[in-house]
Amino acid sequence: MSSPGDTPDPAASAAAAAASAEASAIMHAIKHKGEHQYPIDIWYFLASTVGVAAVLNVASVIWAFWRRQEVRRGTTSGIVSGKAQTNGIFTRLAYAAVAASRIVAFRWRVPTIRLSILEALLTAIYLMALLIWLLANTQQLTITDYSDRAGHIAGSQIPLIVGLSMKNNIIGYLIGVGHEKLHVLHRSFARSLFVIVLVHGFSRVTVDHVQMVEFGWTRLGLACGIIYAIIILMSFAPIRRRFFEIFYMFHVVLVFALILIAYLHSAASNFGYYVWPAFVVWGFDRVCRYMRYLILMDFHSPFNSSSQATIELLSADTIRMTARRGATLPITWSAGQHMYLALPSLGPVESHPFTIATIPNDDSPNDSSARERKGKEMVWIIRARDGFTKRMRDYVTGLGGKCQVPIFMHGPYGIPADITPFSTCVFVAGGSGVTYTLPRMRDLLLRVSKSQACAQRIFFIWAIRHASHLEWLSSEFTKALSMVRENPSVSFVIKIYITSSVSGNSLSLSSDDMEKDVETPTSIGEKQVTAFGDSELVEVKYGRPNVATIIEHVVHGSDGPVSVDVSGPKLLLQDVRGALSGGFASPLNILRGGPFVQLNVETFAM
Ligand SMILES: Cc1cc2nc3c(=O)[nH]c(=O)nc-3n(C[C@H](O)[C@H](O)[C@H](O)COP(=O)(O)OP(=O)(O)OC[C@H]3O[C@@H](n4cnc5c(N)ncnc54)[C@H](O)[C@@H]3O)c2cc1C
């Protein structure tokens, strides 16, 4: 120990200097790692997660291929052996494990926040990953270091958040999930990232609040925080759902401003490379959208009569829109996909998603020359709500219930699940949800006839409020029924449930009757059935369907995996999810020899 006046020991001073240099080198390394390496580590982690999901997606594609091959090999008549999951304990265990994970991940919901368990889990993992890297290796870190680290992490995540919201979504293509479903993660990840932005901002304020407004680049940072907070507040469901168009307009403008300002803020300290890829992602989506748009318009203007659409009022709140596309360029879509439609006649351009109710190979083969001349028919059934769809209804009503309109459209979007490997396919729709289930069923029938699908039993359940709704897609139903006649090996049932009084008919049912699932008086049943031109395959009933019981009955009679596609009102979706969360769809039932049941839900909401 040295005392005042002592001559410093040169060796001790050199050792102290070396130790201090080493400490500062370690500090520098930790700081440097936090600022440069951790954002990259987080990206590695996210890329691995997407990689795992992509592998699962590929596994399901391989399974579907294997099942189809099994059917082809099974017998010449194409009858599925269907015992895959009941044969062998290991196969049953595998199916039971998949069933258990699907029930927990997709069918269970977190109360009040309405996220599925998978969405909630992914959000929690994402937030935890951000916090772990933010708080890792904290040796001798100052509050300023934390602030910098949080800023770097936040900046590096902006391209991901933007990427998750894109319609032309590379992550979605890799993992087999449509943009409308990824939107949930876009929102919940953006909210998680806001926590890191708050750490960045508040730690700066703690260090030196004057500095926040002192320099140009710090003022930009403050502006980012404020804009981000406004975006988050506006995105909460009650505001977003109530004022969707205003929300959407502000969202686009504010997000563009946020990314630009975040870029300028981070570029001031040479970290602009974290943020600018967000513009690349955004630009990629726009270019794809405009290319799709131009192709869909056959490079015509929407005002060209050949690229217009016909709209018709079907009932007080239902519109049918029909367009033909692909006369010059080949255009296709998968059953269950949707398009974004905009009608310039209704004022400032806003586009809304609607599911295509037809299939691309809709016209009969004999009509192929006509198809080449006119293109493929696209039909949408649109339920009038309060905004754009109400204006659409008022417009067509003012023009006598039918008119031609210029139309902009882009798409198709959505990645509907592959149901070709399933032995039994159930379709459940409520109201306009039929625009999803009907083309899915017709596409399946087409594939069965080409030996590209395994279905041997098809059940189609449609609940409508009025008998008149049978007319919405009667020609598509008629085509479906003629396809059924061409596939006698498939057992086929259509059940229509009319849940309120018949329009133009005095029959009105009490709520008791509706719950009891009353049989229709034959004369009325026949009258409706003739709308589809076939009375044997279609059963019309009055009352609400008891979907749980119907599906249970179907599942019990199946000797192979079962798929259930559902689309319609929220309560219907809840009922089906509930029915398939245990009991006859449970892993235990599979272990006892029951079939595996997969649920595919289309929600018509984002
Ligand atoms: C993938 C998908 C497919 C759909 N298919 C059909 C279909 O075939 N037939 C049908 O009738 N409806 C369908 N919808 C719902 C349809 O898009 C909305 O009902 C329509 O956009 C409402 O427009 P609006 O201005 O009249 O709505 P408003 O009355 O203003 O709002 C009603 C609800 O619609 C939602 N909404 C409004 N605009 C949009 C938008 N641009 N994108 C997404 N949601 C929006 C809002 O959250 C709001 O809760 C589908 C939705 C999605 C996401």
Side-chain angles (χ1 to χ4, degrees):
M1 198 176 182
S2 61
S3 57
D6 282 354
T7 314
D9 175 355
S13 302
S20 150
E22 192 184 341
S24 100
I26 291 172
M27 264 300 294
H28 178 78
I30 291 173
K31 260 193 79 171
H32 184 80
K33 211 171 173 197
E35 288 175 1
H36 298 269
Q37 188 56 43
Y38 289 169
I40 295 170
D41 288 352
I42 295 174
W43 269 100
Y44 283 145
F45 171 72
L46 294 171
S48 328
T49 312
V50 172
V52 171
V55 168
L56 292 177
N57 184 30
V58 170
S60 80
V61 172
I62 293 173
W63 175 74
F65 178 77
W66 170 78
R67 278 275 309 160
R68 285 192 299 266
Q69 290 300 104
E70 197 195 40
V71 172
R72 284 208 192 100
R73 280 195 309 265
T75 65
T76 43
S77 65
I79 292 171
V80 190
S81 73
K83 299 289 179 193
Q85 75 274 43
T86 54
N87 285 343
I89 183 68
F90 289 114
T91 318
R92 264 183 281 151
L93 275 173
Y95 273 108
V98 175
S101 57
R102 289 190 73 96
I103 287 173
V104 174
F106 300 114
R107 295 174 212 169
W108 289 3
R109 307 256 117 189
V110 182
T112 68
I113 57 170
R114 300 191 344 161
L115 291 183
S116 69
I117 297 289
L118 181 68
E119 289 156 353
L121 194 69
L122 287 174
T123 306
I125 291 173
Y126 180 67
L127 181 58
M128 264 163 51
L130 297 180
L131 289 173
I132 284 171
W133 268 287
L134 174 67
L135 303 175
N137 213 348
T138 54
Q139 205 181 354
Q140 299 179 39
L141 282 195
T142 64
I143 201 156
T144 313
D145 298 328
Y146 278 120
S147 176
D148 288 349
R149 205 182 261 193
H152 285 252
I153 290 176
S156 72
Q157 293 304 298
I158 293 177
L160 173 76
I161 306 293
V162 173
L164 285 174
S165 72
M166 296 293 106
K167 295 193 173 58
N168 298 282
N169 202 304
I170 293 171
I171 298 177
Y173 296 137
L174 284 173
I175 65 176
V177 175
H179 77 98
E180 72 286 2
K181 297 193 169 80
L182 279 183
H183 239 90
V184 178
L185 291 185
H186 161 70
R187 270 198 301 274
S188 58
F189 280 21
R191 287 168 191 165
S192 305
L193 189 62
F194 189 58
V195 173
I196 307 298
V197 171
L198 288 178
V199 172
H200 178 53
F202 279 110
S203 48
R204 276 278 160 210
V205 173
T206 315
V207 174
D208 184 353
H209 63 276
V210 179
Q211 200 199 42
M212 295 282 280
V213 285
E214 200 174 357
F215 308 107
W217 71 277
T218 51
R219 283 198 290 267
L220 288 173
L222 184 63
C224 279
I226 293 169
I227 295 173
Y228 203 152
I230 297 172
I231 293 173
I232 295 286
L233 280 177
M234 286 186 75
S235 75
F236 283 107
I239 303 178
R240 190 182 75 243
R241 295 223 168 95
R242 181 72 190 82
F243 310 101
F244 191 87
E245 280 313 316
I246 298 171
F247 155 79
Y248 185 73
M249 213 171 61
F250 273 96
H251 192 75
V252 172
V253 173
L254 289 177
V255 168
F256 192 84
L258 173 68
I259 303 172
L260 187 64
I261 298 173
Y263 170 73
L264 296 173
H265 172 65
S266 50
S269 12
N270 296 325
F271 293 111
Y273 58 83
Y274 284 141
V275 181
W276 65 252
F279 284 114
V280 177
V281 175
W282 183 83
F284 171 77
D285 181 56
R286 290 286 141 171
V287 169
C288 292
R289 243 188 242 194
Y290 292 127
M291 285 310 295
R292 285 170 184 270
Y293 161 72
L294 287 173
I295 292 169
L296 276 163
M297 303 307 285
D298 282 346
F299 292 93
H300 287 143
S301 135
F303 297 96
N304 180 316
S305 62
S306 67
S307 39
Q308 297 200 350
T310 305
I311 45 177
E312 306 158 72
L313 196 63
L314 297 179
S315 70
D317 64 356
T318 314
I319 300 151
R320 178 167 54 208
M321 179 180 278
T322 312
R324 279 198 172 262
R325 286 295 182 271
T328 34
L329 292 168
I331 286 167
T332 195
W333 64 93
S334 306
Q337 283 193 304
H338 57 275
M339 292 291 227
Y340 271 75
L341 308 180
L343 303 182
S345 318
L346 300 187
V349 172
E350 55 182 82
S351 60
H352 293 255
F354 296 103
T355 308
I356 311 164
T358 42
I359 53 176
N361 15 23
D362 222 353
D363 299 317
S364 76
N366 305 337
D367 197 22
S368 59
S369 61
R371 191 171 70 221
E372 272 160 30
R373 232 179 19 253
K374 296 185 292 181
K376 295 169 186 169
E377 188 176 69
M378 293 174 153
V379 173
W380 296 271
I381 297 294
I382 298 170
R383 170 107 190 274
R385 292 172 187 273
D386 276 339
F388 169 81
T389 49
K390 180 173 180 291
R391 292 203 301 281
M392 200 172 177
R393 184 193 61 193
D394 295 346
Y395 183 82
V396 66
T397 308
L399 291 172
K402 186 169 179 176
C403 62
Q404 288 268 319
V405 282
I407 180 176
F408 291 92
M409 60 170 105
H410 60 93
Y413 299 113
I415 306 181
D418 181 5
I419 49 173
T420 58
F422 293 87
S423 306
T424 300
C425 296
V426 184
F427 301 90
V428 185
S432 57
V434 73
T435 60
Y436 177 76
T437 54
L438 182 57
R440 297 269 289 161
M441 177 189 68
R442 293 190 54 213
D443 181 63
L444 182 72
L445 281 166
L446 203 68
R447 287 174 193 277
V448 169
S449 67
K450 294 179 183 167
S451 300
Q452 292 171 352
C454 309
Q456 288 302 304
R457 300 163 76 228
I458 296 178
F459 292 80
F460 191 91
I461 297 146
W462 185 26
I464 45 178
R465 273 178 289 140
H466 297 283
S468 60
H469 297 180
L470 288 167
E471 297 294 335
W472 289 356
L473 291 168
S474 60
S475 83
E476 278 68 30
F477 268 107
T478 308
K479 287 178 194 167
L481 294 176
S482 66
M483 285 161 106
V484 171
R485 270 181 243 111
E486 288 159 19
N487 282 293
S489 62
V490 180
S491 136
F492 183 84
V493 175
I494 290 189
K495 287 189 183 204
I496 310 274
Y497 288 80
I498 299 169
T499 59
S500 70
S501 60
V502 187
S503 60
N505 190 303
S506 60
L507 181 72
S508 175
L509 298 170
S510 70
S511 56
D512 269 6
D513 289 338
M514 287 168 67
E515 293 308 321
K516 276 189 270 167
D517 190 8
V518 188
E519 288 294 334
T520 319
T522 318
S523 58
I524 293 172
E526 279 170 3
K527 184 177 149 224
Q528 305 314 328
V529 166
T530 51
F532 301 155
D534 196 304
S535 56
E536 287 155 27
L537 300 164
V538 185
E539 275 180 61
V540 180
K541 295 178 169 222
Y542 282 77
R544 283 179 201 282
N546 186 338
V547 282
T549 312
I550 297 172
I551 298 173
E552 180 172 8
H553 180 72
V554 174
V555 169
H556 278 315
S558 180
D559 64 353
V562 179
S563 76
V564 178
D565 275 42
V566 59
S567 178
K570 221 179 334 170
L571 282 177
L572 178 74
L573 306 184
Q574 267 174 27
D575 276 0
V576 177
R577 268 200 202 102
L580 297 183
S581 293
F584 62 92
S586 68
L588 204 63
N589 195 47
I590 294 174
L591 291 175
R592 289 191 196 120
F596 167 75
V597 186
Q598 177 169 305
L599 173 63
N600 307 312
V601 179
E602 184 68 11
T603 52
F604 283 6
M606 296 205 307

